[in-house]
Amino acid sequence: MQDLKPRVRVKAGAVAFPAAPAASKAPTITARYLRDTRTGMLSMRRAVTRDAKWDVAEAAQRASSLAYDFIRNSGYLAGAVNQVLCDTIGEELKLNCRAQLQALGYSAEDEGKWQRDVERRWRRWSYDAKECDLAGKMTIAEMTDAMLRSYLATGEGFAILDSLTVRQRRMLKCSTGLKVTLVPAHRCPNVSREFEGFNGGIFHDAWDRARFYRFRRRESGIDVDHDVPASDVIHVMDRGDNLGSPRGISPMAPILRAAAQGDQLADATLAVALMQSAFAAVVRSPEPSETAFQALQTLEGLEAPMGEDPLGWGEYLGGLRADLLEVWAQRIDALKNGSLALNDPARVAHLGPGETLEMVTADNRADNYKALWETLAREMARCLGLTFESFAGDHSNATYSSVRMAWASIWPVVMRRRERIAVPFVQSVYERWLEDEIAEGRIDFRGGYQAFAANREAVFQAEFQGPSQPTADDYKSAMAAKVKLETGQASLEEIHAAAGQNHSETLAAIERGHQWFTERGIPSPYGRSTGGGAGPLGSAADGNREPANASV
């Protein structure tokens, strides 16, 4: 039996058996880096990867110009820079000589005496402007401030070390030859010619070590290039910030936009406040409008009714028009004589019948200024290594715990900035000064200059201490230090260093004070508390900070 094929009528141009509609494809779920949003926020943000030195070379000059502009014109940023200086340097970075001389035949006592002598002579030299500054104007403490300010604005700081001859010393009436000169960062042009080994205004050798720095000096009104050996140049910058870059960029670069937005926000808010304080006085009156005056003018062409004398009708309309205009003129004159005055508090204003006085102001208030400003202030404070309270001067919402936690997170930033920027400058000057003092015999050294030259690194060991970490409660901090000392968690030297004190000088002062009190039969305040209960030598009674019977 033969199977019959099915016969189907198909309209011209149609398909006999259309394909089934394709099932909708389920969205593909992926797990990967940089997965974008539906709006493509990441794809619209253009970014490239290249050597950091090119980014620094392109943006450093503009960033430093804007940074200087904001520092000079923004009270918040100017105060923030001063706060950074106070936290990092304070009054000065005090020398704590740690020269290791016992391996050279010094006893512990002789080593201590030599160290104290170096510290006294350093302090005398560094605070004499005519001895340490080539121009005779700045002390080392002032130069350290200037170097840190230069770093905040430009990301780097330069200083040149000069040595005067004996004749030059006599002319300048100074006794030492070492002189320091600070150079603005823009005086070292950020220009590169790689085929010459000239990168960022610095000549480098085959090992990428600096050989010469090129500075532009102003001579007789003309900028002249001078190449200074790298051994005579102090160049401080955060070299870990942009790896491989010979020059620095302002650490304020990430917050320049926030600073501009803050200024714009303040200006806009002030403009709105001024508009809200301005007002206009509007008098609403039932007097005829311009349309009524135009209607009066049409009375002249109105035809006379039937039965009326045209000449008499015209005289009637003219008289009516004149009477109405005279009434309004008198009303306007009355308003002029009784005008409204808002600048005279003793004057009574008169309004006509049916008139009302309205005060019109701009009512478009925005209550989000404080929230926006605090957001911008926190961003700027975080970048500069400050707490929000110290940046904004606002301690209204601060508590003891929040202040302690804020300084616990910010203080390592301050210490890092001190060790990376301020200390390298002072340490470099100190090493050159100490070498000159030993070479010229002003500081005795066993074995002479040759013994010193063979042990430079051991002799140059030093610490420069700045201010201590601020505390919200000195008593609680002192008690915490006491507990750490008694439980062996910290040494007395570490506690003195954390307080910004020279350990040796502090112990010597305590020894002198204790001896002075003992010789005069006065109880020494330096003795430790003994006993466990509240008493003259025991701990404080519950709820009190002073021991019971403290006067006994």
Side-chain angles (χ1 to χ4, degrees), residues 119-191:
E119 292 172 358
R120 286 191 297 269
R121 297 188 64 88
W122 164 259
R123 183 174 180 82
R124 187 186 312 143
W125 178 84
S126 63
Y127 268 85
D128 191 345
K130 72 176 186 298
E131 291 290 344
C132 60
D133 185 12
L134 183 62
K137 300 176 181 178
M138 301 177 68
T139 64
I140 295 299
E142 294 173 328
M143 293 182 189
T144 309
D145 288 349
M147 290 291 282
L148 186 53
R149 287 183 184 273
S150 176
Y151 165 73
L152 292 174
T154 65
E156 56 189 351
F158 291 95
I160 299 178
L161 303 178
D162 291 298
S163 296
L164 301 182
T165 62
V166 176
R167 182 179 180 182
Q168 291 172 335
R169 299 179 200 178
R170 293 174 181 173
M171 292 175 57
L172 298 178
K173 297 180 180 180
C174 56
S175 58
T176 59
L178 177 63
K179 298 295 178 286
V180 185
T181 304
L182 300 186
V183 181
H186 70 274
R187 282 295 173 180
C188 182
N190 197 345
V191 180

Side-chain angles (χ1 to χ4, degrees), residues 173-412:
K173 297 180 180 180
C174 56
S175 58
T176 59
L178 177 63
K179 298 295 178 286
V180 185
T181 304
L182 300 186
V183 181
H186 70 274
R187 282 295 173 180
C188 182
N190 197 345
V191 180
S192 298
R193 292 190 295 271
E194 293 186 353
F195 61 92
E196 297 181 8
F198 187 58
N199 192 2
I202 308 170
F203 289 95
H204 294 80
D205 58 17
W207 294 274
D208 203 28
R209 294 195 175 194
R211 296 175 56 246
F212 294 94
Y213 284 78
R214 175 160 292 178
F215 294 100
R216 288 180 178 173
R217 298 179 181 175
R218 194 75 173 175
E219 297 180 359
S220 302
I222 302 175
D223 288 338
V224 181
D225 291 341
H226 287 270
D227 294 340
V228 181
S231 58
D232 294 333
V233 176
I234 301 175
H235 182 199
V236 296
M237 57 178 284
D238 192 348
R239 290 174 171 80
D241 194 12
N242 291 285
L243 189 62
S245 176
R247 303 294 297 272
I249 188 171
S250 172
M252 296 175 59
I255 62 170
L256 293 176
R257 182 174 61 178
Q261 290 172 342
D263 283 354
Q264 188 176 9
L265 176 63
D267 293 341
T269 305
L270 178 61
V272 172
L274 293 176
M275 291 177 61
Q276 292 175 354
S277 64
F279 64 90
V282 178
V283 178
R284 294 189 180 274
S285 175
E287 299 300 331
S289 61
E290 183 180 359
T291 305
F293 282 98
Q294 292 178 356
L296 291 176
Q297 295 176 359
T298 61
L299 291 176
E300 297 180 357
L302 188 62
E303 296 181 358
M306 294 182 62
E308 293 287 343
D309 183 13
L311 183 59
W313 176 254
E315 293 178 356
Y316 170 74
L317 292 179
L320 178 61
R321 180 173 178 273
D323 292 341
L324 292 175
L325 291 176
E326 183 178 358
V327 170
W328 286 332
Q330 293 177 359
R331 183 61 179 270
I332 293 174
D333 290 340
L335 291 175
K336 289 181 179 179
N337 295 331
S339 60
L340 182 63
L342 300 176
N343 57 353
D344 190 355
R347 184 172 181 177
V348 180
H350 298 279
L351 297 176
E355 295 177 343
T356 59
L357 177 64
E358 295 183 3
M359 307 299 294
V360 181
T361 61
D363 191 8
N364 186 18
R365 300 180 180 179
D367 298 331
N368 56 352
Y369 169 77
K370 183 177 181 181
L372 292 175
W373 162 244
E374 287 184 353
T375 300
L376 296 174
R378 292 181 190 279
E379 179 182 353
M380 291 186 282
R382 196 67 184 91
C383 181
L384 292 174
L386 298 171
T387 64
F388 168 76
E389 290 78 13
S390 63
F391 178 84
D394 182 8
H395 298 266
S396 58
N397 296 324
T399 62
Y400 175 77
S401 299
S402 66
V403 170
R404 282 184 57 86
M405 193 62 213
W407 277 111
S409 60
I410 289 297
W411 193 246

Side-chain angles (χ1 to χ4, degrees), residues 454-477:
N455 299 274
R456 291 175 180 269
E457 297 303 322
V459 180
F460 285 153
Q461 295 298 312
E463 294 178 355
F464 289 90
Q465 297 171 335
S468 61
Q469 176 180 344
T471 61
D473 192 320
D474 292 340
Y475 176 78
K476 291 182 178 179
S477 300

Side-chain angles (χ1 to χ4, degrees), residues 402-450:
S402 66
V403 170
R404 282 184 57 86
M405 193 62 213
W407 277 111
S409 60
I410 289 297
W411 193 246
V413 179
V414 176
M415 294 299 295
R416 181 185 181 278
R417 182 168 53 227
R418 181 186 300 171
E419 294 298 325
R420 298 290 191 278
I421 305 302
V423 170
F425 165 71
V426 187
Q427 179 73 29
S428 300
V429 177
Y430 167 73
E431 292 179 2
R432 180 68 68 88
W433 167 84
L434 183 58
E435 182 177 359
D436 288 354
E437 293 292 297
I438 295 176
E440 297 183 6
R442 286 186 291 271
I443 293 180
D444 293 332
F445 194 83
R446 295 180 182 177
Y449 182 78
Q450 292 182 350

